[in-house]
Amino acid sequence: MKKINTKGAGVFFSCDASGKKMPQIFLHGITKTFKVYERKKRGIITGAFFRNAKTVTALDGVGFEMDEGEMAGYIGPNGAGKSTTVKVISGILTPEAGECVIMGRVPWKRRAEHVAQIGVVFGQRSQLWWDVPAGDSFEMMRHIYNVPFESFKQRLAELTDVLDAGGLVKTPVRQLSLGQRMRCEIVASLLHRPKILFLDEPTIGLDAVSKLALREFLKNENKKHGTTMILTTHDMDDIKALCSRVLVIGRGKILYDGAMPELAKRYAPLRRLRASAKSAPAEGEIMIDGASSANFENGTLTVMFDPEKLKAHELVMRVSEKYSLNDIMIEEQNIDEIIAEMYREMNI
């Protein structure tokens, strides 16, 4: 990829040999380390003054690209490097090595211009003033991002209407429930119409109704305004509902980058048949030709099978020949099971 530095440090116009425009988000070989101090195994007083230092690698050659309007899930276990990656992309941290170009800029070199075009939502941190009404924080955001007053009024009305947050504007943030605060956090992050939105655990602690409403809003925002979104979460239902692409990080390295169905096919190829049986077989494992496993417990027959080797209708026929069945349900493995299996296989 050819890169041409223009108009001052940290600004790039990039293209490949064919003249193709550079992706909106471009990371290559990003490495970031931190120094961690550990108390020596001595007395409390001595240990306070003499500590061992070790270097921890948070990001080890991380690289990926995203085009404008993409929605991607960024997942991994605690300590994998998700938050560090977001901080590098946001310009908060400077890596020791690698390239990072976001919307034609190096984030930490042109931070003021960069943050004017991104938004960040942290489920466990707040950007709102705790003791004043949410509306005061929105007004502060207007001045920080230099949003014209008329544009601000129009955008605020649009967001509060869609997110049902109009009645929360005059309420002090400390008096808001978690779900109400998260709606206000979304409003604050989108007031300046960012081109990229980072969402870190945005649905943490939300009830089912609030989760569904927030997911629907984010999908519409992406579709209507083409906002690029990166979602980091442990709630796999969020990923499945919002993202067509998923990136998995572990021990500071990108382990998978692709579509969710392909991830499921690779790490959880089996499907599950559940049925209640009128004529109950003996409790425990049972034999069904072509099935990977089958057992009967508490009145429910559970059969695991590979649809590439045994078609669902053939399995139903074979089970029906042996047992008289009531309700039948065929389902894919839970997304959490898929991710857990991948972590086990990759030893992360």
Side-chain angles (χ1 to χ4, degrees):
M1 179 172 288
K2 183 180 179 182
K3 294 186 285 297
I4 304 173
N5 195 355
T6 64
K7 298 182 181 179
V11 180
F12 290 87
F13 170 79
S14 305
C15 59
D16 58 20
S18 65
K20 184 179 178 180
K21 188 178 179 181
M22 191 173 186
Q24 189 180 43
I25 297 175
F26 173 79
L27 280 81
H28 175 73
I30 295 294
T31 300
K32 181 63 183 176
T33 61
F34 296 97
K35 186 172 289 187
V36 178
Y37 292 93
E38 296 179 336
R39 180 181 294 176
K40 291 184 177 181
K41 294 182 178 179
R42 299 182 181 181
I44 295 177
I45 297 177
T46 306
F49 292 96
F50 299 94
R51 298 178 297 172
N52 292 321
K54 71 174 183 178
T55 300
V56 176
T57 301
L59 299 178
D60 187 8
V62 166
F64 61 86
E65 300 177 6
M66 286 184 66
D67 292 323
E68 185 176 354
E70 275 196 82
M71 293 182 74
Y74 196 43
I75 61 177
N78 293 330
K82 302 186 297 297
S83 295
T84 303
T85 305
V86 172
K87 289 176 182 177
V88 168
I89 296 175
S90 302
I92 297 172
L93 294 177
T94 301
E96 285 91 7
E99 296 178 82
C100 176
V101 181
I102 313 297
M103 296 177 288
R105 296 187 182 89
V106 177
W108 53 89
K109 291 184 177 181
R110 303 293 292 267
R111 186 174 297 174
E113 295 167 79
H114 177 65
V115 298
Q117 294 185 314
I118 66 172
V120 183
V121 178
F122 290 108
Q124 301 185 66
R125 303 181 188 91
S126 179
Q127 60 187 317
L128 306 173
W129 288 1
W130 195 246
D131 292 313
V132 300
D136 289 1
S137 292
F138 299 155
E139 183 66 25
M140 179 188 68
M141 295 293 178
R142 179 177 80 85
H143 290 285
I144 289 175
Y145 292 108
N146 197 27
V147 180
F149 183 69
E150 290 301 321
S151 298
F152 167 76
K153 281 204 315 181
Q154 180 182 356
R155 183 62 165 164
L156 180 61
E158 175 190 356
L159 292 172
T160 53
D161 178 60
V162 174
L163 289 168
D164 192 25
L168 308 176
V169 174
K170 297 182 179 180
T171 305
V173 173
R174 58 183 168 79
Q175 294 180 5
L176 299 175
S177 69
L178 180 56
Q180 291 172 331
R181 183 176 67 79
M182 285 309 304
R183 294 205 295 273
C184 290
E185 295 283 356
I186 295 286
V187 171
S189 297
L190 292 173
L191 279 171
H192 59 296
R193 298 185 185 275
K195 295 182 179 179
I196 300 176
L197 181 64
F198 301 107
L199 300 149
D200 185 14
E201 299 282 0
T203 62
I204 187 169
L206 299 188
D207 58 68
V209 175
S210 297
K211 279 188 179 184
L212 293 175
L214 181 55
R215 289 171 188 166
E216 191 62 30
F217 168 77
L218 293 174
K219 285 191 287 187
N220 290 337
E221 186 72 14
N222 170 260
K223 184 177 181 180
K224 183 177 180 181
H225 298 288
T227 306
T228 304
M229 298 184 187
I230 297 180
L231 174 65
T232 65
T233 181
H234 292 294
D235 189 332
M236 292 300 106
D237 287 333
D238 286 344
I239 300 293
K240 190 173 182 180
L242 294 170
C243 306
S244 57
R245 176 184 175 190
V246 61
L247 297 98
V248 182
I249 185 172
R251 295 182 179 176
K253 296 182 178 181
I254 299 295
L255 305 176
Y256 177 83
D257 181 359
M260 180 62 76
E262 182 60 32
L263 182 67
K265 185 177 180 180
R266 182 182 301 184
Y267 293 101
L270 301 182
R271 292 184 183 177
R272 181 186 291 112
L273 178 145
R274 294 186 190 274
S276 56
K278 293 179 181 178
S279 54
E283 293 276 344
E285 293 187 9
I286 57 178
M287 294 297 297
I288 297 177
D289 291 340
S292 298
S293 65
N295 67 77
F296 183 80
E297 186 176 356
N298 298 326
T300 300
L301 177 66
T302 303
V303 182
M304 302 298 295
F305 69 101
D306 187 343
E308 296 291 328
K309 299 177 181 179
L310 177 61
K311 301 301 180 184
H313 69 276
E314 294 178 357
L315 174 62
V316 173
M317 290 177 59
R318 294 180 186 182
V319 174
S320 299
E321 289 174 357
K322 299 184 69 172
Y323 308 105
S324 179
L325 304 178
N326 287 326
D327 296 329
I328 299 176
M329 178 184 298
I330 296 177
E331 57 191 18
E332 295 180 346
Q333 292 190 59
N334 184 282
I335 186 66
D336 290 310
E337 295 176 320
I338 297 171
I339 300 301
E341 178 59 32
M342 183 188 65
Y343 288 172
R344 283 193 294 268
E345 187 171 315
M346 294 183 174
N347 193 29
I348 61 175

